Amino acid sequence: MRRGPILALLGIGTVAGAIATAVAIFLPWLPPVASNERNRIDVVIWFTVSICIVIFAIVIAVLLYSVYRFRAAPDDDSDGPPVHGHTGLEIVWTLIPTLLVTSIGILSAIVLSRDDALGKNVFEVNVTAQQFAWSFSYPESGNLTTGILRLPVNRSVLLHFKSKDVIHSFWVPEFGQKQDTVPGLDTKLHITPNKIGSYPVICTELCGLGHAVMRTEAIVMSQAAFDKWLKSQTKATGSPNPSVSGAAVFKNNQCGSCHTLKAAGATATVGPDLDKLPQYAQTAGKPLESFIRESVSNPKAYIEKGYPKNVMPQTFGQLPKGQLDALVQYLIQSTKKG
Ligand code: CUA
């Protein structure tokens, strides 16, 4: 080959590669990193992307050069020369992809095994998925149950998943992994959160009408803040405790992500407006308190007109009695003020 074509190929390849690299680096493709596992997964992603960029640059260079250099004259209707394979070329284009794909495979295997390796002092959480809510219980703390996931930072966390109905999938983009929850099967996920903050928990498996609202939050806290929170919660859930705050129960169970309630600053409109509870109770022909209690623990009993059936989770009937009582009283008080 003469020097001219090689220089042309190199030039086009460099420009194509530079454009692809800029697109990869300067656009924010990935959410912020909040776990050790995500760091390793990102290494695999960027390793693979780099290989893609190099191959992209080579292919584009050869393509553009050939289109320009070997184009047919407008009046040239003749066939191109017949080509009967080229053993050397075939070996090269088989060997290179084999090596590249194998190296991605090896790197992935290393990352998978390190991501699965539990650290010392593992913190376990039981996660229950059901249409359309997540709940988290902490065996270390007497199975305290919450609707928001709270985790201590820099500690090995093992999530055990159970599904009560259909397949859901747990995903926190900042943690970098997804795990299906499958009825009748125990699935697990290991996470080592490494950044304090609040991240979305998203259901990423189409699971029914309320799939889009099957979201909650994962809050990563310092071990000290986490211990303090645990202590306050264990106090609050001892069932006959009069100090249980209905507002806290409302918040912990994420009622505000579907309902409006002025007193709680909640403005969502997936489910009925809780400031209108007295009117709803009147329409249903039931006393306010028992109407609220029934609607929380057995949401199918009465569906307000214009709102979807089967979207409100049935889990809230399992709230400890102290929490359920507090929530009912809180809703009564709030609607009185409103
Ligand atoms: Cu649960 Cu989608």
Side-chain angles (χ1 to χ4, degrees):
M1 224 170 167
R2 284 167 293 116
R3 200 185 277 167
I6 294 182
L7 281 179
L9 284 170
L10 260 176
I12 302 171
T14 308
V15 173
I19 293 173
T21 306
V23 169
I25 291 178
F26 294 114
L27 294 185
W29 296 107
L30 301 173
V33 177
S35 80
N36 293 351
E37 291 71 22
R38 231 317 273 294
N39 273 325
R40 296 187 199 108
I41 291 169
D42 282 8
V43 170
V44 180
I45 291 177
W46 289 116
F47 178 71
T48 313
V49 169
S50 313
I51 291 176
C52 294
I53 288 176
V54 171
I55 292 181
F56 173 80
I58 295 173
V59 169
I60 291 297
V62 173
L63 185 77
L64 289 182
Y65 178 79
S66 307
V67 164
Y68 174 74
R69 176 76 179 71
F70 303 112
R71 70 192 184 286
D75 55 350
D76 180 2
D77 290 333
S78 64
D79 284 341
V83 176
H84 289 288
H86 186 298
T87 311
L89 198 59
E90 279 171 26
I91 290 176
V92 169
W93 77 38
T94 307
L95 205 63
I96 293 179
T98 306
L99 289 176
L100 292 177
V101 173
T102 309
S103 66
I104 296 174
I106 292 173
L107 182 64
S108 304
I110 294 172
V111 165
L112 270 178
S113 85
R114 291 189 56 188
D115 277 0
D116 281 349
L118 299 182
K120 279 180 220 146
N121 192 16
V122 176
F123 183 74
E124 304 200 46
V125 182
N126 292 321
V127 182
T128 306
Q130 78 173 126
Q131 292 167 320
F132 299 97
W134 298 100
S135 63
F136 307 94
S137 87
Y138 308 81
E140 227 175 70
S141 314
N143 282 322
L144 162 72
T145 304
T146 61
I148 291 178
L149 176 60
R150 288 181 190 260
L151 299 171
V153 73
N154 291 329
R155 202 168 148 191
S156 205
V157 174
L158 187 60
L159 303 175
H160 297 268
F161 295 97
K162 275 209 159 48
S163 169
K164 287 197 171 170
D165 35 51
V166 299
I167 300 177
H168 304 271
S169 187
F170 176 92
W171 185 39
V172 175
E174 289 79 358
F175 294 163
Q177 299 160 93
K178 290 177 179 174
Q179 180 56 268
D180 277 8
T181 75
V182 185
L185 227 135
D186 294 319
T187 49
K188 285 181 207 145
L189 182 63
H190 176 231
I191 301 167
T192 318
N194 61 11
K195 203 163 133 207
I196 290 174
S198 160
Y199 311 102
V201 173
I202 299 167
C203 176
T204 169
E205 181 80 53
L206 182 59
C207 55
L209 249 185
H211 163 68
V213 297
M214 189 166 165
R215 284 167 173 248
T216 179
E217 222 181 322
I219 300 180
V220 178
M221 321 162 85
S222 70
Q223 183 73 50
F226 183 78
D227 290 341
K228 203 170 147 203
W229 170 77
L230 258 190
K231 217 182 229 169
S232 74
Q233 291 299 306
T234 349
K235 219 187 285 161
T237 38
S239 51
N241 189 328
S243 73
V244 179
S245 142
V249 179
F250 187 89
K251 199 164 165 254
N252 269 340
N253 289 283
Q254 299 245 296
C255 308
S257 62
C258 286
H259 294 286
T260 291
L261 183 67
K262 271 193 215 128
T267 55
T269 53
V270 177
D273 180 347
L274 299 182
D275 288 312
K276 294 187 183 145
L277 277 172
Q279 288 147 254
Y280 298 151
Q282 216 166 35
T283 321
K286 289 172 188 168
L288 183 58
E289 178 168 350
S290 52
F291 174 71
I292 296 178
R293 190 174 293 274
E294 178 188 70
S295 299
V296 172
S297 36
N298 178 19
K300 282 186 185 162
Y302 173 82
I303 304 285
E304 182 57 29
K305 233 173 131 189
Y307 289 96
K309 273 183 225 168
N310 298 329
V311 164
M312 167 117 166
Q314 317 263 314
T315 30
F316 303 123
Q318 298 155 17
L319 280 173
K321 192 174 174 304
Q323 291 188 36
L324 184 58
D325 290 346
L327 180 62
V328 172
Q329 290 311 318
Y330 171 69
L331 288 172
I332 294 175
Q333 294 305 320
S334 305
T335 51
K336 263 186 200 157
K337 274 179 238 156

